[in-house]
Amino acid sequence: MDIWQIDAFTDRPFRGNPAAVCWLEQERDAEWQQAVAAEMNLAETAFLTRRDDGFGLRWFTPAVEVDLCGHATLASARYLWESGRLPDGEPARFHTRSGLLTAARDGEWIVLDFPAIPPHSSGSIAGLEDALGATPRWLGRSVFDVFVELESAEAVRRVTPRLDRLAGIPARGVVVTAPGDQPDQDFISRFFAPAVGVPEDPVTGSAHCALAPFWSERLGKTRMTGYQASSRGGTVRVEVKGDRVLLGGQAVTVLRGELLA
């Protein structure tokens, strides 16, 4: 079985967010897929199968299966075109736990069509400030995550959470964000998800499904550029289109191998 490692939301190797992409000629059970994801030990491992009208796609962290993942979908599209399993330039259709998702080429960029999942204001969350080591300027929740706005981009970069305590927050993960302080960055963010086996995710496409509508409302823009300020770093172009968000990113293949187990 093909298994590739692809760095997503970057135009350079060893940056952005690495995902493993595994091609399956036939379905394998979830227990086996979870074991492979644990073996790969990346934020996400994607599993692809062919369907009459596209491809089945599932995503696993080293610990759990997840409902939505942007960077591993971006990597999956790159794999399909580069491996020749999908003609170059033909849009990719993915059947997932979050419904039909598509990917299309735009020059050197790949554009994903994802659902918008705007965060909504919430009350205080017990233990959050202590775990995060920062005081929210605004606090909310999206479908998956706790959403924290801080006072500045520098405050986002400085966050050093207590991951053992953050893992106890009842959510997939915690997004921290602020307006960007660079000319090419409308907003920046970081994403912590120790509860699902990802201490800090390098670049999180699904979090931008919440970041895009959040910052669109505040900045009065529908097209923006986000930067995820992890140690690897990555850039996500976003466009809000009603109840959908277009996520644009680049990807670089760094490893091609065969899974024998």
Side-chain angles (χ1 to χ4, degrees):
M1 291 165 282
D2 280 356
I3 189 158
W4 293 19
Q5 185 168 314
I6 297 173
D7 291 344
F9 294 115
T10 182
D11 61 354
R12 291 179 289 162
F14 317 125
R15 303 283 290 177
N17 201 352
V21 180
C22 182
W23 175 261
L24 302 179
E25 292 293 344
Q26 59 186 19
E27 288 281 358
R28 299 292 296 266
D29 62 59
E31 183 179 1
W32 179 89
Q33 292 178 72
Q34 186 64 74
V36 173
E39 182 82 3
M40 297 307 296
N41 200 32
L42 298 172
E44 304 285 347
T45 297
F47 296 90
L48 286 167
T49 53
R50 190 177 295 279
R51 294 194 183 181
D52 292 339
D53 57 345
F55 302 89
L57 175 59
R58 296 173 74 173
W59 311 280
F60 289 78
T61 77
V64 298
E65 184 174 7
V66 297
D67 292 330
L68 187 65
C69 178
H71 85 279
T73 305
L74 191 81
S76 295
R78 169 83 185 209
Y79 166 80
L80 290 172
W81 290 314
E82 192 172 328
S83 67
R85 296 189 186 278
L86 185 67
D88 192 36
E90 183 175 322
R93 293 167 52 87
F94 298 111
H95 298 275
T96 78
R97 287 170 61 155
S98 290
L100 178 66
L101 307 175
T102 62
R105 300 198 78 152
D106 181 13
E108 295 299 314
W109 291 70
I110 298 170
V111 179
L112 307 177
D113 186 338
F114 269 40
I117 49 174
H120 302 285
S121 180
S122 72
S124 62
I125 298 173
L128 178 63
E129 284 193 37
D130 179 60
L132 199 58
T135 301
R137 180 177 178 182
W138 186 90
L139 179 61
R141 285 182 176 271
S142 69
V143 171
F144 303 119
D145 306 311
V146 170
F147 200 91
V148 177
E149 182 188 1
L150 299 180
E151 69 274 11
S152 68
E154 183 57 30
V156 170
R157 287 190 285 265
R158 286 198 312 263
V159 166
T160 307
R162 304 168 83 166
L163 294 172
D164 57 337
R165 298 189 181 186
L166 206 63
I169 302 299
R172 178 188 69 166
V174 176
V175 182
V176 294
T177 186
D181 57 1
Q182 302 297 320
D184 59 345
Q185 299 170 9
D186 291 293
F187 59 87
I188 77 166
S189 65
R190 292 173 69 192
F191 182 82
F192 306 96
V196 295
V198 183
E200 179 171 3
D201 197 34
V203 193
T204 316
S206 60
H208 284 74
C209 295
L211 288 160
F214 178 84
W215 287 113
S216 178
E217 181 179 338
R218 283 154 179 78
L219 300 177
K221 298 180 178 182
T222 56
R223 294 185 179 183
M224 296 163 290
T225 299
Y227 180 74
Q228 194 152 328
S230 65
S231 59
R232 291 175 63 104
T235 298
V236 185
R237 292 179 180 172
V238 299
E239 181 178 357
V240 179
K241 301 188 75 171
D243 63 355
R244 307 295 292 181
V245 174
L246 302 184
L247 307 174
Q250 295 174 277
V252 180
T253 302
V254 296
L255 183 152
R256 297 176 184 148
E258 291 184 339
L259 182 63
L260 305 177

